[in-house]
């Protein structure tokens, strides 16, 4: 039997049962489409975060407090706050870093007259804008003298400025953060959101003012620095400086003994990569399950088909079809079904991914549609493999039929 | 003619089935020879073993004991693939229930056996049309097989059986599902094929149908009970007519 004959025979039997063929492959179609959609959304989200990380620059280093132990745990509310403004000053003095900024963050009530809002109040230094770039729309940003003099001034995000002042010019006006009155000296241009936080709802005040007058702590939540050096050696430099500041005896450079963590953007990228990898494994296992279920469906229908077409098989054997010719015909029918299912599933998956991306893009700034090519290719390949695996048993059943019995079958 | 090697030479053929450990003997030792060009009717009541005999003759089944020579070649110990090849290259089957593929066209049905023989695609249609013409159904070429009458279906089945030019044509109760008019048309067609040189073995339990053959072999309880040729039958015919 020649190959074109095999294809013609298999495809014509499938087209004779169109609606059944379509229903049969539905499981495969949905499975493949769902996986492509989920992978696309997952990778787009990952891409979005990676882009935001990249926007901040790869030369950025963060220092956070830590109670020691594993460096990759979730941030804990009970971590002892160990970082001080003096630590940032020590880093500055070393001359190894272009910009250093210490920050303290707290959510609290902000009011102007009767108008009251909750806002994330961020205590910053004059270096903040070189760490997290933003444009000043009106007035000016916090300066060194503001930090040194515990100035009661604030720079508003665009939305919080609008919420509190409407169309009025906020510059020079006073607002209350908790009980402390501060004067607005500037408004930042629109920034959108980063890591799913709305930056336009934030209020920046000098870190010293925030510590002493607003939050009432002498620690900071984190210190950020930029370096022109090699990142890993800069991280080591920071560790040695801070160990000296904190009187930590750690000559063996064991980061678990430190009361702080030093991490760079590349560490964040690595973590995001790990999260993405776990997500991919998870989705792949769901895909595997759905494809097994789909494959069982194919096997089921192929078995029904073999039973229904017992006479046809008997006739084909009587006119000289060999075992392997019957096997190939039924195997090819199953493979054509699943391959078609894979192709349709990929098409639907790509279309819905694009649709989902265009919807998400209107809500989340910077969302881009990513359709993973490897998922598209492997979708079709895996579906075809499912056809071979689950088509083999029914095809063998067909090929093993005894022609006499098959012709007599009613 | 008797001096040449017979097309079929059965020697003491026995067939035993084993079902659930119980052996049933269907053929108890049957011997006969059929020459090329003969038209033989194989008769017997149901359960006589005539179908089993036809299956063995048609390479659909194997004998348990004895020997089967086809053109002098011992075929009793062939494996599955070799038997398939014999079916494909040497015989054509016509069944009581026609066994046409219902949703396929007449021409596609006739072309089916050529696919397994490996006739080039370009030649298939022409050969199928010739076969269809020889059974007088050229005007039905592109009809679906389930749009035909019973008699027409059987003629299509005969065209399909002939399309690869087999050495031997088997007809298993070819008139069993037909009214008498279509039945006699089909028998007439078989007789014409015989006249034009085809070897035909027809299994039937209808004496009228068997009358069209030139030789009648009767089987009962797995044994050959009579083997009568045309002239002998006509001479001593007190039952017939």
């Amino acid at each position: 039997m020649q190959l074109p004959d095999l294809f013609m025979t298999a495809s014509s039997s499938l087209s004779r049962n169109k609606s059944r063929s379509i229903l049969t492959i539905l499981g495969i179609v949905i499975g493949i489409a769902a996986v492509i959609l989920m992978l696309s959304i997952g990778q787009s989200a990952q891409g979005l975060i990676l882009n935001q990380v990249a926007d901040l620059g790869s030369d950025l280093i963060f220092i956070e407090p830590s109670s020691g132990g594993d460096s990759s745990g979730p941030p804990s509310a009970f971590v002892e706050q160990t970082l001080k403004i003096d630590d940032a000053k020590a880093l500055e003095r070393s001359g190894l870093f272009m910009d250093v900024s210490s920050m303290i963050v707290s959510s609290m009530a902000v009011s102007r007259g009767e108008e009251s809002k909750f806002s994330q109040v961020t205590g910053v230094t004059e270096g903040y804008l070189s760490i997290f770039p933003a444009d000043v729309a009106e007035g000016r940003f916090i300066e060194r003298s503001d930090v040194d003099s515990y100035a009661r001034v604030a720079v508003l995000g665009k939305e919080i400025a609008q919420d509190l002042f409407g169309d009025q010019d906020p510059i020079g006006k006073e607002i209350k953060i908790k009980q402390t009155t501060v004067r607005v000296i500037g408004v930042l241009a629109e920034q959108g959101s980063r890591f799913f936080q709305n930056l336009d709802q934030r209020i920046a005040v000098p870190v010293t003012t925030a510590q002493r007058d607003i939050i009432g702590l002498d620690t900071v939540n984190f210190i950020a620095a930029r370096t022109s050096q090699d990142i890993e050696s800069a991280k080591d430099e920071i560790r040695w400086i801070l160990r000296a500041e904190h009187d930590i005896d750690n000559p063996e450079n064991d980061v678990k003994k430190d009361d702080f963590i030093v991490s760079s953007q590349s560490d964040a990228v690595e973590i995001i990569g790990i999260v993405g990898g776990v997500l991919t494994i998870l989705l792949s296992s769901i895909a595997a399950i759905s494809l097994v279920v789909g494959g069982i469906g194919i096997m089921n229908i192929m078995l029904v088909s073999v039973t229904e077409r017992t006479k046809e098989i008997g006739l084909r054997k009587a006119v000289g079809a060999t075992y392997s010719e019957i096997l190939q015909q039924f195997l090819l029918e199953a493979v054509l079904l699943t391959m078609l299912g894979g192709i349709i599933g990929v098409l639907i998956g790509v279309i819905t991914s694009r649709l989902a991306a265009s919807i998400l893009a209107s809500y989340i700034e910077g969302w881009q549609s990513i359709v993973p090519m490897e998922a598209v290719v492997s979708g079709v390949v895996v579906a075809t493999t499912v056809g071979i695996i689950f088509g083999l048993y029914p095809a063998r059943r067909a090929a093993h039929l005894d022609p006499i019995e098959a012709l007599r079958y009613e | 003619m008797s001096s040449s090697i017979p097309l079929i030479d059965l020697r003491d053929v026995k067939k035993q089935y084993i079902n659930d450990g119980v052996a049933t003997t269907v053929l108890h030792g049957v011997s006969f020879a059929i020459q090329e060009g003969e038209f033989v009717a194989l008769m017997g009541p149901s359960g006589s073993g005539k179908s089993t005999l036809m299956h063995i003759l048609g390479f659909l089944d194997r004998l348990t004991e004895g020997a089967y020579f086809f053109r002098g070649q011992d075929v009793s110990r062939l494996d599955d693939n070799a038997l398939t090849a014999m079916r494909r290259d040497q015989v054509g089957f016509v069944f009581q229930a026609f066994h046409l593929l219902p949703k396929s066209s007449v021409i596609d049905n006739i072309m089916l056996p050529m696919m397994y023989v490996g006739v080039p695609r370009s030649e298939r249609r022409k050969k199928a049309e010739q076969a269809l013409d020889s059974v007088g159904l050229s005007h039905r070429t592109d009809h679906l097989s389930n749009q035909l009458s019973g008699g027409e279906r059987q003629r299509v089945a005969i065209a399909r059986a002939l399309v690869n030019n087999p050495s031997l044509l088997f007809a298993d109760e070819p008139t069993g599902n037909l009214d008498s008019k279509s039945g006699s048309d089909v028998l007439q067609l078989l007789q014409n094929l015989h006249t034009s040189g085809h070897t035909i073995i027809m299994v039937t339990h209808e004496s009228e149908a068997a009358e069209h053959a030139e030789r009648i072999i009767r089987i009962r309880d797995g044994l050959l009970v009579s083997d009568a040729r045309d002239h002998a039958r006509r001479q001593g015919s007190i039952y017939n007519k």
Side-chain angles (χ1 to χ4, degrees), chain A residues 1 5 315-317 325, chain B residues 87 112 115-116 121 124:
Chain A
M1 200 171 177
D5 287 331
L315 174 79
R316 287 181 187 275
K317 287 199 139 188
E325 282 166 335
Chain B
R87 287 202 295 275
L112 180 72
M115 191 167 77
Y116 296 108
R121 296 175 71 80
R124 285 185 207 162

Side-chain angles (χ1 to χ4, degrees), chain A residues 28-95:
Chain A
I28 303 277
V29 170
I30 292 171
I32 298 273
V35 168
I36 288 188
L37 176 63
M38 289 189 285
L39 276 180
S40 166
I41 291 176
Q43 292 207 359
S44 300
Q46 200 179 331
L48 180 74
I49 296 170
L50 286 175
N51 271 339
Q52 292 174 348
V53 169
D55 280 348
L56 294 178
S58 56
D59 55 350
L60 196 57
I61 300 172
F62 285 102
I63 304 129
E64 292 164 86
S66 157
S67 29
D70 256 330
S71 61
S72 60
S76 165
F78 306 108
V79 170
E80 195 192 341
Q81 297 296 317
T82 52
L83 296 177
K84 304 254 168 83
I85 293 180
D86 286 344
D87 294 333
K89 286 187 174 152
L91 293 179
E92 259 173 50
R93 275 199 306 277
S94 74

Side-chain angles (χ1 to χ4, degrees), chain B:
Chain B
M1 203 159 143
S2 56
S3 64
S4 67
I5 300 171
L7 183 66
I8 284 173
D9 187 359
L10 285 189
R11 294 180 192 170
D12 199 24
V13 165
K14 292 176 184 165
K15 177 69 185 178
Q16 208 174 46
Y17 289 108
I18 295 170
N19 269 335
D20 300 329
V22 182
T24 318
T25 307
V26 184
L27 296 174
H28 294 275
V30 175
S31 306
F32 58 78
I34 293 173
Q35 302 294 333
E36 228 156 302
E38 282 195 276
F39 183 2
V40 180
L42 203 54
M43 286 194 74
S46 58
S48 60
K50 63 180 191 301
S51 291
T52 303
L53 190 56
M54 191 203 79
H55 291 148
I56 290 172
L57 290 173
F59 311 107
L60 284 163
D61 205 349
R62 285 200 185 78
L63 46 81
T64 316
E65 266 181 66
Y68 173 13
F69 293 93
F70 189 87
R71 279 212 176 97
Q73 183 200 353
D74 185 3
V75 292
S76 28
R77 302 285 175 266
L78 293 181
D79 67 11
D80 275 350
N81 279 334
L83 280 183
T84 304
M86 292 298 283
R87 287 202 295 275
R88 186 184 64 204
D89 302 332
Q90 304 293 348
V91 302
F93 287 99
V94 176
F95 304 97
Q96 178 175 2
F98 324 131
H99 289 311
L100 300 179
L101 301 184
K103 288 175 190 168
S104 296
S105 69
V106 165
I107 197 83
D108 281 345
N109 265 288
I110 297 173
M111 290 197 291
L112 180 72
M114 288 192 277
M115 191 167 77
Y116 296 108
V117 176
V119 176
R121 296 175 71 80
S122 51
E123 293 171 27
R124 285 185 207 162
R125 191 166 174 103
K126 203 172 141 231
K127 284 193 163 188
E129 278 167 354
Q130 281 168 358
L132 196 56
D133 194 38
S134 72
V135 298
L137 282 176
S138 311
H139 58 293
R140 293 295 205 194
T141 311
D142 292 311
H143 286 242
L144 290 182
S145 62
N146 45 356
Q147 293 171 328
L148 305 181
S149 72
E152 287 175 324
R153 287 185 202 191
Q154 197 58 300
R155 279 148 73 193
V156 171
I158 292 171
R160 180 181 63 193
L162 290 173
V163 78
N164 281 332
N165 266 326
S167 315
L168 183 57
L169 186 66
F170 282 99
D172 186 5
E173 304 276 5
T175 58
N177 280 11
L178 301 178
D179 59 62
S180 56
K181 170 72 173 73
S182 319
S184 66
D185 285 352
V186 164
L187 289 168
Q188 190 57 52
L189 178 61
L190 290 176
Q191 216 160 23
N192 294 346
L193 290 169
H194 164 57
T195 313
S196 64
H198 286 277
T199 312
I200 300 170
I201 298 176
M202 176 171 70
V203 174
T204 183
H205 63 272
E206 293 171 54
S207 321
E208 270 179 62
E211 281 309 308
H212 287 77
E214 54 171 10
R215 177 182 173 192
I216 298 176
I217 295 173
R218 289 175 197 274
I219 307 283
R220 182 183 287 273
D221 300 329
L223 287 167
L224 192 143
V225 291
S226 75
D227 182 352
R229 287 182 195 277
D230 221 5
H231 55 96
R233 236 167 49 219
R234 296 246 160 91
Q235 276 172 3
S237 112
I238 38 171
Y239 316 104
N240 305 329
K241 295 200 177 172

Side-chain angles (χ1 to χ4, degrees), chain A residues 113 230 275 297 330 363 397 403:
Chain A
D230 170 62
V275 171
F330 279 85
Y363 291 102
R397 278 261 288 249

Side-chain angles (χ1 to χ4, degrees), chain A residues 145 189 290 346:
Chain A
S145 55
S290 78
V346 162

